[in-house]
Amino acid sequence: MTAGTSPPRLHRSGAGAVIAVAVLQVVAVVVTGALWFFHTVFAGGACSPACDGATADAAGMLFVVVIGASFAITGAAAVVAWRSGRDLAWVPLVSTALVVAGYLAAVALFDNAMR
């Protein structure tokens, strides 16, 4: 470096964008989690004689795994964006869609198990 010049500036704004958009993901998890809770609580007495408790439990695990995977994807995107400076703000949006799709799949599986 010569006198009067400054070191190259690091651009870490990509991670900030990912984290800012991840707020939508957190809201989606809270809303779908509340919907899942009320859906399963109020379906407790709706079990037919042929209902499958193991499949109903698997539906809940599916939902939890999808939420965990979505947060892992968003966390990886934040690290990559922080290291590279790239704007990966679209990744939490895809992860949010994954949460909603996982919720819908888990509800369908749960409802099918309760019939």
Side-chain angles (χ1 to χ4, degrees), residues 6-27:
S6 61
R9 190 169 173 207
L10 296 174
H11 298 285
R12 305 282 190 203
S13 64
V18 170
I19 293 169
V21 178
V23 171
L24 294 174
Q25 181 181 0
V26 171
V27 170

Side-chain angles (χ1 to χ4, degrees), residues 32-33 35-37 39-41 43 52-68 98-115:
T32 56
L35 289 172
W36 175 258
F37 174 76
H39 186 82
T40 56
V41 166
D52 184 8
T55 304
D57 289 341
M61 289 305 300
L62 170 70
F63 185 50
V64 169
V65 167
V66 167
I67 289 173
L98 179 67
V99 168
V100 173
Y103 167 74
L104 294 174
V107 165
L109 185 61
F110 181 81
D111 287 344
N112 192 30
M114 297 305 271
R115 291 182 191 170

